[in-house]
PDB file of all heavy atoms in Angstrom:
ATOM      1  N   ALA A   1      83.932 -71.424  82.314  1.00 95.00           N
ATOM      2  CA  ALA A   1      84.203 -71.513  83.755  1.00 95.00           C
ATOM      3  C   ALA A   1      83.233 -72.466  84.460  1.00 95.00           C
ATOM      4  O   ALA A   1      83.642 -73.286  85.283  1.00 95.00           O
ATOM      5  CB  ALA A   1      84.127 -70.128  84.401  1.00 95.00           C
ATOM      6  N   HIS A   2      81.963 -72.374  84.113  1.00 96.00           N
ATOM      7  CA  HIS A   2      80.965 -73.273  84.744  1.00 96.00           C
ATOM      8  C   HIS A   2      81.255 -74.734  84.406  1.00 96.00           C
ATOM      9  O   HIS A   2      81.198 -75.596  85.291  1.00 96.00           O
ATOM     10  CB  HIS A   2      79.565 -72.889  84.307  1.00 96.00           C
ATOM     11  CG  HIS A   2      78.483 -73.782  84.849  1.00 96.00           C
ATOM     12  ND1 HIS A   2      78.079 -73.717  86.171  1.00 96.00           N
ATOM     13  CD2 HIS A   2      77.792 -74.788  84.280  1.00 96.00           C
ATOM     14  CE1 HIS A   2      77.155 -74.640  86.388  1.00 96.00           C
ATOM     15  NE2 HIS A   2      76.957 -75.313  85.238  1.00 96.00           N
ATOM     16  N   ASP A   3      81.582 -75.005  83.160  1.00 98.00           N
ATOM     17  CA  ASP A   3      81.869 -76.401  82.751  1.00 98.00           C
ATOM     18  C   ASP A   3      83.148 -76.923  83.394  1.00 98.00           C
ATOM     19  O   ASP A   3      83.233 -78.100  83.764  1.00 98.00           O
ATOM     20  CB  ASP A   3      81.968 -76.482  81.219  1.00 98.00           C
ATOM     21  CG  ASP A   3      80.644 -76.190  80.562  1.00 98.00           C
ATOM     22  OD1 ASP A   3      79.649 -76.871  80.870  1.00 98.00           O
ATOM     23  OD2 ASP A   3      80.588 -75.238  79.747  1.00 98.00           O
ATOM     24  N   LEU A   4      84.150 -76.054  83.557  1.00 97.00           N
ATOM     25  CA  LEU A   4      85.361 -76.461  84.240  1.00 97.00           C
ATOM     26  C   LEU A   4      85.098 -76.763  85.720  1.00 97.00           C
ATOM     27  O   LEU A   4      85.558 -77.759  86.261  1.00 97.00           O
ATOM     28  CB  LEU A   4      86.455 -75.401  84.109  1.00 97.00           C
ATOM     29  CG  LEU A   4      87.070 -75.219  82.725  1.00 97.00           C
ATOM     30  CD1 LEU A   4      87.930 -73.958  82.668  1.00 97.00           C
ATOM     31  CD2 LEU A   4      87.899 -76.441  82.314  1.00 97.00           C
ATOM     32  N   ALA A   5      84.311 -75.886  86.353  1.00 97.00           N
ATOM     33  CA  ALA A   5      83.987 -76.094  87.779  1.00 97.00           C
ATOM     34  C   ALA A   5      83.129 -77.339  87.975  1.00 97.00           C
ATOM     35  O   ALA A   5      83.291 -78.041  88.966  1.00 97.00           O
ATOM     36  CB  ALA A   5      83.246 -74.851  88.318  1.00 97.00           C
ATOM     37  N   ALA A   6      82.230 -77.604  87.024  1.00 97.00           N
ATOM     38  CA  ALA A   6      81.345 -78.770  87.133  1.00 97.00           C
ATOM     39  C   ALA A   6      82.054 -80.067  86.746  1.00 97.00           C
ATOM     40  O   ALA A   6      81.540 -81.174  87.005  1.00 97.00           O
ATOM     41  CB  ALA A   6      80.118 -78.576  86.249  1.00 97.00           C
ATOM     42  N   GLY A   7      83.209 -79.950  86.094  1.00 97.00           N
ATOM     43  CA  GLY A   7      83.948 -81.162  85.687  1.00 97.00           C
ATOM     44  C   GLY A   7      83.488 -81.724  84.345  1.00 97.00           C
ATOM     45  O   GLY A   7      83.920 -82.812  83.965  1.00 97.00           O
ATOM     46  N   THR A   8      82.606 -81.023  83.624  1.00 97.00           N
ATOM     47  CA  THR A   8      82.198 -81.509  82.311  1.00 97.00           C
ATOM     48  C   THR A   8      83.264 -81.201  81.266  1.00 97.00           C
ATOM     49  O   THR A   8      83.276 -81.780  80.194  1.00 97.00           O
ATOM     50  CB  THR A   8      80.862 -80.911  81.846  1.00 97.00           C
ATOM     51  OG1 THR A   8      80.930 -79.484  81.959  1.00 97.00           O
ATOM     52  CG2 THR A   8      79.714 -81.433  82.726  1.00 97.00           C
ATOM     53  N   LEU A   9      84.166 -80.267  81.588  1.00 98.00           N
ATOM     54  CA  LEU A   9      85.359 -79.974  80.778  1.00 98.00           C
ATOM     55  C   LEU A   9      86.571 -79.911  81.692  1.00 98.00           C
ATOM     56  O   LEU A   9      86.437 -79.559  82.849  1.00 98.00           O
ATOM     57  CB  LEU A   9      85.222 -78.617  80.045  1.00 98.00           C
ATOM     58  CG  LEU A   9      84.264 -78.526  78.874  1.00 98.00           C
ATOM     59  CD1 LEU A   9      84.190 -77.091  78.366  1.00 98.00           C
ATOM     60  CD2 LEU A   9      84.659 -79.494  77.741  1.00 98.00           C
ATOM     61  N   VAL A  10      87.739 -80.258  81.139  1.00 97.00           N
ATOM     62  CA  VAL A  10      88.992 -80.172  81.868  1.00 97.00           C
ATOM     63  C   VAL A  10      90.038 -79.529  80.953  1.00 97.00           C
ATOM     64  O   VAL A  10      89.939 -79.650  79.736  1.00 97.00           O
ATOM     65  CB  VAL A  10      89.496 -81.518  82.382  1.00 97.00           C
ATOM     66  CG1 VAL A  10      88.574 -82.090  83.447  1.00 97.00           C
ATOM     67  CG2 VAL A  10      89.634 -82.526  81.246  1.00 97.00           C
ATOM     68  N   LYS A  11      91.018 -78.885  81.556  1.00 97.00           N
ATOM     69  CA  LYS A  11      92.127 -78.337  80.787  1.00 97.00           C
ATOM     70  C   LYS A  11      93.014 -79.494  80.337  1.00 97.00           C
ATOM     71  O   LYS A  11      93.402 -80.318  81.152  1.00 97.00           O
ATOM     72  CB  LYS A  11      92.914 -77.314  81.613  1.00 97.00           C
ATOM     73  CG  LYS A  11      92.098 -76.059  81.899  1.00 97.00           C
ATOM     74  CD  LYS A  11      92.890 -75.104  82.770  1.00 97.00           C
ATOM     75  CE  LYS A  11      92.053 -73.868  83.073  1.00 97.00           C
ATOM     76  NZ  LYS A  11      92.744 -72.982  84.016  1.00 97.00           N
ATOM     77  N   ALA A  12      93.303 -79.552  79.053  1.00 96.00           N
ATOM     78  CA  ALA A  12      94.068 -80.678  78.497  1.00 96.00           C
ATOM     79  C   ALA A  12      95.560 -80.501  78.714  1.00 96.00           C
ATOM     80  O   ALA A  12      96.268 -81.498  78.897  1.00 96.00           O
ATOM     81  CB  ALA A  12      93.741 -80.829  77.004  1.00 96.00           C
ATOM     82  N   PHE A  13      96.071 -79.280  78.636  1.00 96.00           N
ATOM     83  CA  PHE A  13      97.504 -79.026  78.776  1.00 96.00           C
ATOM     84  C   PHE A  13      97.705 -77.746  79.542  1.00 96.00           C
ATOM     85  O   PHE A  13      96.848 -76.880  79.589  1.00 96.00           O
ATOM     86  CB  PHE A  13      98.148 -78.884  77.382  1.00 96.00           C
ATOM     87  CG  PHE A  13      98.007 -80.101  76.533  1.00 96.00           C
ATOM     88  CD1 PHE A  13      97.075 -80.122  75.505  1.00 96.00           C
ATOM     89  CD2 PHE A  13      98.752 -81.237  76.751  1.00 96.00           C
ATOM     90  CE1 PHE A  13      96.900 -81.248  74.720  1.00 96.00           C
ATOM     91  CE2 PHE A  13      98.588 -82.367  76.004  1.00 96.00           C
ATOM     92  CZ  PHE A  13      97.671 -82.371  74.971  1.00 96.00           C
ATOM     93  N   LYS A  14      98.893 -77.610  80.146  1.00 95.00           N
ATOM     94  CA  LYS A  14      99.227 -76.418  80.929  1.00 95.00           C
ATOM     95  C   LYS A  14      99.908 -75.384  80.055  1.00 95.00           C
ATOM     96  O   LYS A  14     101.032 -74.965  80.342  1.00 95.00           O
ATOM     97  CB  LYS A  14     100.094 -76.819  82.113  1.00 95.00           C
ATOM     98  CG  LYS A  14      99.351 -77.679  83.105  1.00 95.00           C
ATOM     99  CD  LYS A  14     100.195 -78.023  84.287  1.00 95.00           C
ATOM    100  CE  LYS A  14      99.366 -78.924  85.178  1.00 95.00           C
ATOM    101  NZ  LYS A  14      99.885 -79.068  86.495  1.00 95.00           N
ATOM    102  N   LEU A  15      99.234 -75.031  78.994  1.00 97.00           N
ATOM    103  CA  LEU A  15      99.705 -73.967  78.105  1.00 97.00           C
ATOM    104  C   LEU A  15      98.475 -73.209  77.611  1.00 97.00           C
ATOM    105  O   LEU A  15      97.551 -73.838  77.073  1.00 97.00           O
ATOM    106  CB  LEU A  15     100.482 -74.552  76.941  1.00 97.00           C
ATOM    107  CG  LEU A  15     100.984 -73.560  75.890  1.00 97.00           C
ATOM    108  CD1 LEU A  15     101.989 -72.596  76.476  1.00 97.00           C
ATOM    109  CD2 LEU A  15     101.580 -74.297  74.697  1.00 97.00           C
ATOM    110  N   SER A  16      98.473 -71.906  77.818  1.00 97.00           N
ATOM    111  CA  SER A  16      97.323 -71.107  77.436  1.00 97.00           C
ATOM    112  C   SER A  16      97.723 -69.989  76.446  1.00 97.00           C
ATOM    113  O   SER A  16      98.923 -69.742  76.250  1.00 97.00           O
ATOM    114  CB  SER A  16      96.661 -70.491  78.655  1.00 97.00           C
ATOM    115  OG  SER A  16      97.575 -69.588  79.275  1.00 97.00           O
ATOM    116  N   LEU A  17      96.745 -69.372  75.891  1.00 97.00           N
ATOM    117  CA  LEU A  17      96.928 -68.199  75.030  1.00 97.00           C
ATOM    118  C   LEU A  17      96.319 -66.990  75.733  1.00 97.00           C
ATOM    119  O   LEU A  17      95.291 -67.140  76.431  1.00 97.00           O
ATOM    120  CB  LEU A  17      96.237 -68.401  73.696  1.00 97.00           C
ATOM    121  CG  LEU A  17      96.778 -69.472  72.774  1.00 97.00           C
ATOM    122  CD1 LEU A  17      95.870 -69.648  71.556  1.00 97.00           C
ATOM    123  CD2 LEU A  17      98.197 -69.138  72.333  1.00 97.00           C
ATOM    124  N   PRO A  18      96.917 -65.817  75.562  1.00 95.00           N
ATOM    125  CA  PRO A  18      96.301 -64.644  76.191  1.00 95.00           C
ATOM    126  C   PRO A  18      94.940 -64.340  75.551  1.00 95.00           C
ATOM    127  O   PRO A  18      94.723 -64.640  74.383  1.00 95.00           O
ATOM    128  CB  PRO A  18      97.300 -63.532  75.880  1.00 95.00           C
ATOM    129  CG  PRO A  18      98.115 -64.023  74.738  1.00 95.00           C
ATOM    130  CD  PRO A  18      98.111 -65.518  74.810  1.00 95.00           C
ATOM    131  N   GLY A  19      94.075 -63.809  76.356  1.00 93.00           N
ATOM    132  CA  GLY A  19      92.727 -63.508  75.881  1.00 93.00           C
ATOM    133  C   GLY A  19      92.492 -62.046  75.685  1.00 93.00           C
ATOM    134  O   GLY A  19      93.375 -61.312  75.208  1.00 93.00           O
ATOM    135  N   TYR A  20      91.353 -61.616  76.093  1.00 91.00           N
ATOM    136  CA  TYR A  20      90.883 -60.248  75.872  1.00 91.00           C
ATOM    137  C   TYR A  20      90.603 -59.568  77.191  1.00 91.00           C
ATOM    138  O   TYR A  20      90.261 -60.243  78.172  1.00 91.00           O
ATOM    139  CB  TYR A  20      89.621 -60.262  75.002  1.00 91.00           C
ATOM    140  CG  TYR A  20      89.852 -60.905  73.649  1.00 91.00           C
ATOM    141  CD1 TYR A  20      89.619 -62.250  73.461  1.00 91.00           C
ATOM    142  CD2 TYR A  20      90.344 -60.154  72.592  1.00 91.00           C
ATOM    143  CE1 TYR A  20      89.832 -62.847  72.226  1.00 91.00           C
ATOM    144  CE2 TYR A  20      90.565 -60.740  71.354  1.00 91.00           C
ATOM    145  CZ  TYR A  20      90.323 -62.087  71.190  1.00 91.00           C
ATOM    146  OH  TYR A  20      90.551 -62.665  69.980  1.00 91.00           O
ATOM    147  N   GLY A  21      90.696 -58.271  77.208  1.00 89.00           N
ATOM    148  CA  GLY A  21      90.293 -57.501  78.361  1.00 89.00           C
ATOM    149  C   GLY A  21      88.879 -56.961  78.135  1.00 89.00           C
ATOM    150  O   GLY A  21      88.515 -56.609  77.022  1.00 89.00           O
ATOM    151  N   PHE A  22      88.108 -56.920  79.207  1.00 88.00           N
ATOM    152  CA  PHE A  22      86.744 -56.406  79.111  1.00 88.00           C
ATOM    153  C   PHE A  22      86.620 -55.207  80.024  1.00 88.00           C
ATOM    154  O   PHE A  22      87.067 -55.236  81.173  1.00 88.00           O
ATOM    155  CB  PHE A  22      85.743 -57.521  79.513  1.00 88.00           C
ATOM    156  CG  PHE A  22      85.794 -58.690  78.572  1.00 88.00           C
ATOM    157  CD1 PHE A  22      86.697 -59.725  78.774  1.00 88.00           C
ATOM    158  CD2 PHE A  22      84.930 -58.744  77.484  1.00 88.00           C
ATOM    159  CE1 PHE A  22      86.751 -60.784  77.880  1.00 88.00           C
ATOM    160  CE2 PHE A  22      84.977 -59.802  76.597  1.00 88.00           C
ATOM    161  CZ  PHE A  22      85.903 -60.835  76.808  1.00 88.00           C
ATOM    162  N   HIS A  23      86.014 -54.165  79.498  1.00 87.00           N
ATOM    163  CA  HIS A  23      85.960 -52.865  80.183  1.00 87.00           C
ATOM    164  C   HIS A  23      84.596 -52.217  79.997  1.00 87.00           C
ATOM    165  O   HIS A  23      83.907 -52.481  79.015  1.00 87.00           O
ATOM    166  CB  HIS A  23      87.027 -51.915  79.618  1.00 87.00           C
ATOM    167  CG  HIS A  23      88.351 -52.555  79.370  1.00 87.00           C
ATOM    168  ND1 HIS A  23      89.288 -52.742  80.347  1.00 87.00           N
ATOM    169  CD2 HIS A  23      88.861 -53.105  78.243  1.00 87.00           C
ATOM    170  CE1 HIS A  23      90.342 -53.335  79.830  1.00 87.00           C
ATOM    171  NE2 HIS A  23      90.108 -53.566  78.567  1.00 87.00           N
ATOM    172  N   VAL A  24      84.260 -51.350  80.929  1.00 86.00           N
ATOM    173  CA  VAL A  24      83.123 -50.441  80.758  1.00 86.00           C
ATOM    174  C   VAL A  24      83.742 -49.073  80.545  1.00 86.00           C
ATOM    175  O   VAL A  24      84.559 -48.609  81.345  1.00 86.00           O
ATOM    176  CB  VAL A  24      82.199 -50.449  81.998  1.00 86.00           C
ATOM    177  CG1 VAL A  24      81.149 -49.362  81.869  1.00 86.00           C
ATOM    178  CG2 VAL A  24      81.548 -51.800  82.167  1.00 86.00           C
ATOM    179  N   VAL A  25      83.355 -48.456  79.441  1.00 89.00           N
ATOM    180  CA  VAL A  25      83.915 -47.138  79.097  1.00 89.00           C
ATOM    181  C   VAL A  25      82.764 -46.112  79.148  1.00 89.00           C
ATOM    182  O   VAL A  25      81.703 -46.340  78.575  1.00 89.00           O
ATOM    183  CB  VAL A  25      84.526 -47.140  77.657  1.00 89.00           C
ATOM    184  CG1 VAL A  25      85.073 -45.787  77.290  1.00 89.00           C
ATOM    185  CG2 VAL A  25      85.617 -48.216  77.569  1.00 89.00           C
ATOM    186  N   SER A  26      83.031 -45.026  79.845  1.00 86.00           N
ATOM    187  CA  SER A  26      82.026 -43.977  79.924  1.00 86.00           C
ATOM    188  C   SER A  26      82.711 -42.612  79.891  1.00 86.00           C
ATOM    189  O   SER A  26      83.883 -42.484  80.188  1.00 86.00           O
ATOM    190  CB  SER A  26      81.192 -44.114  81.210  1.00 86.00           C
ATOM    191  OG  SER A  26      82.029 -44.009  82.348  1.00 86.00           O
ATOM    192  N   LYS A  27      81.929 -41.623  79.600  1.00 88.00           N
ATOM    193  CA  LYS A  27      82.426 -40.260  79.537  1.00 88.00           C
ATOM    194  C   LYS A  27      82.649 -39.727  80.952  1.00 88.00           C
ATOM    195  O   LYS A  27      81.769 -39.896  81.823  1.00 88.00           O
ATOM    196  CB  LYS A  27      81.413 -39.384  78.776  1.00 88.00           C
ATOM    197  CG  LYS A  27      81.853 -37.978  78.569  1.00 88.00           C
ATOM    198  CD  LYS A  27      80.800 -37.229  77.747  1.00 88.00           C
ATOM    199  CE  LYS A  27      81.208 -35.798  77.571  1.00 88.00           C
ATOM    200  NZ  LYS A  27      80.187 -35.052  76.831  1.00 88.00           N
ATOM    201  N   LEU A  28      83.791 -39.130  81.191  1.00 87.00           N
ATOM    202  CA  LEU A  28      84.107 -38.546  82.491  1.00 87.00           C
ATOM    203  C   LEU A  28      83.058 -37.483  82.819  1.00 87.00           C
ATOM    204  O   LEU A  28      82.728 -36.662  81.987  1.00 87.00           O
ATOM    205  CB  LEU A  28      85.512 -37.933  82.467  1.00 87.00           C
ATOM    206  CG  LEU A  28      86.100 -37.550  83.813  1.00 87.00           C
ATOM    207  CD1 LEU A  28      86.207 -38.769  84.749  1.00 87.00           C
ATOM    208  CD2 LEU A  28      87.475 -36.925  83.639  1.00 87.00           C
ATOM    209  N   GLY A  29      82.503 -37.551  84.023  1.00 86.00           N
ATOM    210  CA  GLY A  29      81.494 -36.594  84.441  1.00 86.00           C
ATOM    211  C   GLY A  29      80.110 -36.870  83.871  1.00 86.00           C
ATOM    212  O   GLY A  29      79.246 -36.009  83.902  1.00 86.00           O
ATOM    213  N   HIS A  30      79.918 -38.088  83.406  1.00 89.00           N
ATOM    214  CA  HIS A  30      78.598 -38.469  82.856  1.00 89.00           C
ATOM    215  C   HIS A  30      77.532 -38.279  83.944  1.00 89.00           C
ATOM    216  O   HIS A  30      77.753 -38.604  85.122  1.00 89.00           O
ATOM    217  CB  HIS A  30      78.634 -39.925  82.382  1.00 89.00           C
ATOM    218  CG  HIS A  30      77.443 -40.316  81.574  1.00 89.00           C
ATOM    219  ND1 HIS A  30      76.245 -40.621  82.160  1.00 89.00           N
ATOM    220  CD2 HIS A  30      77.289 -40.487  80.248  1.00 89.00           C
ATOM    221  CE1 HIS A  30      75.357 -40.925  81.214  1.00 89.00           C
ATOM    222  NE2 HIS A  30      75.990 -40.871  80.033  1.00 89.00           N
ATOM    223  N   PRO A  31      76.350 -37.756  83.588  1.00 89.00           N
ATOM    224  CA  PRO A  31      75.320 -37.500  84.626  1.00 89.00           C
ATOM    225  C   PRO A  31      74.841 -38.793  85.291  1.00 89.00           C
ATOM    226  O   PRO A  31      74.250 -38.705  86.389  1.00 89.00           O
ATOM    227  CB  PRO A  31      74.196 -36.814  83.827  1.00 89.00           C
ATOM    228  CG  PRO A  31      74.486 -37.024  82.410  1.00 89.00           C
ATOM    229  CD  PRO A  31      75.955 -37.313  82.275  1.00 89.00           C
ATOM    230  N   ARG A  32      75.044 -39.928  84.701  1.00 90.00           N
ATOM    231  CA  ARG A  32      74.607 -41.182  85.325  1.00 90.00           C
ATOM    232  C   ARG A  32      75.793 -42.000  85.783  1.00 90.00           C
ATOM    233  O   ARG A  32      75.769 -43.219  85.771  1.00 90.00           O
ATOM    234  CB  ARG A  32      73.735 -41.949  84.341  1.00 90.00           C
ATOM    235  CG  ARG A  32      72.491 -41.121  83.962  1.00 90.00           C
ATOM    236  CD  ARG A  32      71.546 -41.832  83.095  1.00 90.00           C
ATOM    237  NE  ARG A  32      70.757 -42.733  83.943  1.00 90.00           N
ATOM    238  CZ  ARG A  32      69.950 -43.649  83.462  1.00 90.00           C
ATOM    239  NH1 ARG A  32      69.817 -43.809  82.168  1.00 90.00           N
ATOM    240  NH2 ARG A  32      69.265 -44.433  84.258  1.00 90.00           N
ATOM    241  N   ALA A  33      76.861 -41.350  86.206  1.00 86.00           N
ATOM    242  CA  ALA A  33      78.100 -41.996  86.609  1.00 86.00           C
ATOM    243  C   ALA A  33      77.867 -43.026  87.732  1.00 86.00           C
ATOM    244  O   ALA A  33      78.450 -44.117  87.710  1.00 86.00           O
ATOM    245  CB  ALA A  33      79.152 -40.969  87.033  1.00 86.00           C
ATOM    246  N   ARG A  34      77.024 -42.696  88.671  1.00 89.00           N
ATOM    247  CA  ARG A  34      76.738 -43.647  89.785  1.00 89.00           C
ATOM    248  C   ARG A  34      76.077 -44.905  89.277  1.00 89.00           C
ATOM    249  O   ARG A  34      76.383 -46.008  89.701  1.00 89.00           O
ATOM    250  CB  ARG A  34      75.889 -42.953  90.845  1.00 89.00           C
ATOM    251  CG  ARG A  34      76.680 -41.923  91.631  1.00 89.00           C
ATOM    252  CD  ARG A  34      75.856 -41.203  92.647  1.00 89.00           C
ATOM    253  NE  ARG A  34      75.215 -42.122  93.582  1.00 89.00           N
ATOM    254  CZ  ARG A  34      74.227 -41.757  94.394  1.00 89.00           C
ATOM    255  NH1 ARG A  34      73.794 -40.525  94.381  1.00 89.00           N
ATOM    256  NH2 ARG A  34      73.676 -42.644  95.204  1.00 89.00           N
ATOM    257  N   THR A  35      75.154 -44.763  88.347  1.00 90.00           N
ATOM    258  CA  THR A  35      74.458 -45.922  87.755  1.00 90.00           C
ATOM    259  C   THR A  35      75.448 -46.764  86.967  1.00 90.00           C
ATOM    260  O   THR A  35      75.438 -47.999  87.045  1.00 90.00           O
ATOM    261  CB  THR A  35      73.291 -45.461  86.854  1.00 90.00           C
ATOM    262  OG1 THR A  35      72.408 -44.662  87.632  1.00 90.00           O
ATOM    263  CG2 THR A  35      72.571 -46.661  86.236  1.00 90.00           C
ATOM    264  N   ILE A  36      76.317 -46.115  86.210  1.00 88.00           N
ATOM    265  CA  ILE A  36      77.317 -46.835  85.420  1.00 88.00           C
ATOM    266  C   ILE A  36      78.272 -47.568  86.354  1.00 88.00           C
ATOM    267  O   ILE A  36      78.609 -48.742  86.115  1.00 88.00           O
ATOM    268  CB  ILE A  36      78.098 -45.851  84.490  1.00 88.00           C
ATOM    269  CG1 ILE A  36      77.139 -45.293  83.440  1.00 88.00           C
ATOM    270  CG2 ILE A  36      79.279 -46.529  83.851  1.00 88.00           C
ATOM    271  CD1 ILE A  36      77.700 -44.101  82.659  1.00 88.00           C
ATOM    272  N   ARG A  37      78.720 -46.939  87.421  1.00 87.00           N
ATOM    273  CA  ARG A  37      79.597 -47.584  88.377  1.00 87.00           C
ATOM    274  C   ARG A  37      78.916 -48.777  89.049  1.00 87.00           C
ATOM    275  O   ARG A  37      79.506 -49.858  89.213  1.00 87.00           O
ATOM    276  CB  ARG A  37      80.060 -46.557  89.453  1.00 87.00           C
ATOM    277  CG  ARG A  37      81.164 -47.086  90.331  1.00 87.00           C
ATOM    278  CD  ARG A  37      81.815 -46.026  91.229  1.00 87.00           C
ATOM    279  NE  ARG A  37      80.944 -44.990  91.740  1.00 87.00           N
ATOM    280  CZ  ARG A  37      80.838 -43.740  91.244  1.00 87.00           C
ATOM    281  NH1 ARG A  37      81.581 -43.385  90.210  1.00 87.00           N
ATOM    282  NH2 ARG A  37      79.991 -42.859  91.766  1.00 87.00           N
ATOM    283  N   ALA A  38      77.623 -48.646  89.378  1.00 89.00           N
ATOM    284  CA  ALA A  38      76.877 -49.765  89.986  1.00 89.00           C
ATOM    285  C   ALA A  38      76.774 -50.913  88.979  1.00 89.00           C
ATOM    286  O   ALA A  38      76.900 -52.092  89.368  1.00 89.00           O
ATOM    287  CB  ALA A  38      75.466 -49.307  90.407  1.00 89.00           C
ATOM    288  N   PHE A  39      76.569 -50.574  87.723  1.00 88.00           N
ATOM    289  CA  PHE A  39      76.495 -51.604  86.676  1.00 88.00           C
ATOM    290  C   PHE A  39      77.838 -52.339  86.565  1.00 88.00           C
ATOM    291  O   PHE A  39      77.864 -53.575  86.493  1.00 88.00           O
ATOM    292  CB  PHE A  39      76.098 -50.962  85.324  1.00 88.00           C
ATOM    293  CG  PHE A  39      76.096 -51.922  84.182  1.00 88.00           C
ATOM    294  CD1 PHE A  39      75.144 -52.919  84.088  1.00 88.00           C
ATOM    295  CD2 PHE A  39      77.030 -51.818  83.189  1.00 88.00           C
ATOM    296  CE1 PHE A  39      75.107 -53.804  83.026  1.00 88.00           C
ATOM    297  CE2 PHE A  39      77.041 -52.718  82.109  1.00 88.00           C
ATOM    298  CZ  PHE A  39      76.073 -53.701  82.035  1.00 88.00           C
ATOM    299  N   SER A  40      78.934 -51.597  86.566  1.00 86.00           N
ATOM    300  CA  SER A  40      80.272 -52.201  86.504  1.00 86.00           C
ATOM    301  C   SER A  40      80.494 -53.135  87.684  1.00 86.00           C
ATOM    302  O   SER A  40      81.040 -54.233  87.513  1.00 86.00           O
ATOM    303  CB  SER A  40      81.353 -51.132  86.495  1.00 86.00           C
ATOM    304  OG  SER A  40      81.305 -50.381  85.316  1.00 86.00           O
ATOM    305  N   GLU A  41      80.113 -52.686  88.862  1.00 86.00           N
ATOM    306  CA  GLU A  41      80.283 -53.524  90.071  1.00 86.00           C
ATOM    307  C   GLU A  41      79.447 -54.802  89.958  1.00 86.00           C
ATOM    308  O   GLU A  41      79.888 -55.875  90.362  1.00 86.00           O
ATOM    309  CB  GLU A  41      79.960 -52.725  91.324  1.00 86.00           C
ATOM    310  CG  GLU A  41      80.984 -51.661  91.602  1.00 86.00           C
ATOM    311  CD  GLU A  41      80.556 -50.721  92.725  1.00 86.00           C
ATOM    312  OE1 GLU A  41      79.522 -50.972  93.378  1.00 86.00           O
ATOM    313  OE2 GLU A  41      81.258 -49.718  92.929  1.00 86.00           O
ATOM    314  N   TRP A  42      78.253 -54.655  89.434  1.00 89.00           N
ATOM    315  CA  TRP A  42      77.373 -55.812  89.254  1.00 89.00           C
ATOM    316  C   TRP A  42      78.022 -56.817  88.287  1.00 89.00           C
ATOM    317  O   TRP A  42      78.011 -58.007  88.524  1.00 89.00           O
ATOM    318  CB  TRP A  42      75.992 -55.385  88.755  1.00 89.00           C
ATOM    319  CG  TRP A  42      75.104 -56.528  88.436  1.00 89.00           C
ATOM    320  CD1 TRP A  42      74.434 -57.318  89.301  1.00 89.00           C
ATOM    321  CD2 TRP A  42      74.773 -56.997  87.117  1.00 89.00           C
ATOM    322  NE1 TRP A  42      73.710 -58.273  88.618  1.00 89.00           N
ATOM    323  CE2 TRP A  42      73.902 -58.103  87.278  1.00 89.00           C
ATOM    324  CE3 TRP A  42      75.152 -56.612  85.846  1.00 89.00           C
ATOM    325  CZ2 TRP A  42      73.387 -58.804  86.178  1.00 89.00           C
ATOM    326  CZ3 TRP A  42      74.648 -57.310  84.747  1.00 89.00           C
ATOM    327  CH2 TRP A  42      73.801 -58.385  84.947  1.00 89.00           C
TER     328      TRP A  42
END
């Protein structure tokens, strides 16, 4: 993303491949749920 925004790289063609999803997984009711949520937001 940084290289595309800076113009050091450009997209060569208008055809992409699907990527990956990134998630934070935690146990429901975890005692540090607020900290985990703050980390996810960050």
Side-chain angles (χ1 to χ4, degrees):
H2 177 75
D3 295 303
L4 290 169
T8 53
L9 288 176
V10 294
K11 293 178 181 175
F13 301 103
K14 294 182 182 195
L15 177 64
S16 64
L17 294 173
Y20 300 93
F22 297 86
H23 317 277
V24 173
V25 179
S26 61
K27 184 177 178 182
L28 192 60
H30 191 282
R32 299 185 79 189
R34 288 178 56 195
T35 303
I36 294 168
R37 191 170 34 259
F39 176 69
S40 294
E41 290 172 8
W42 175 76

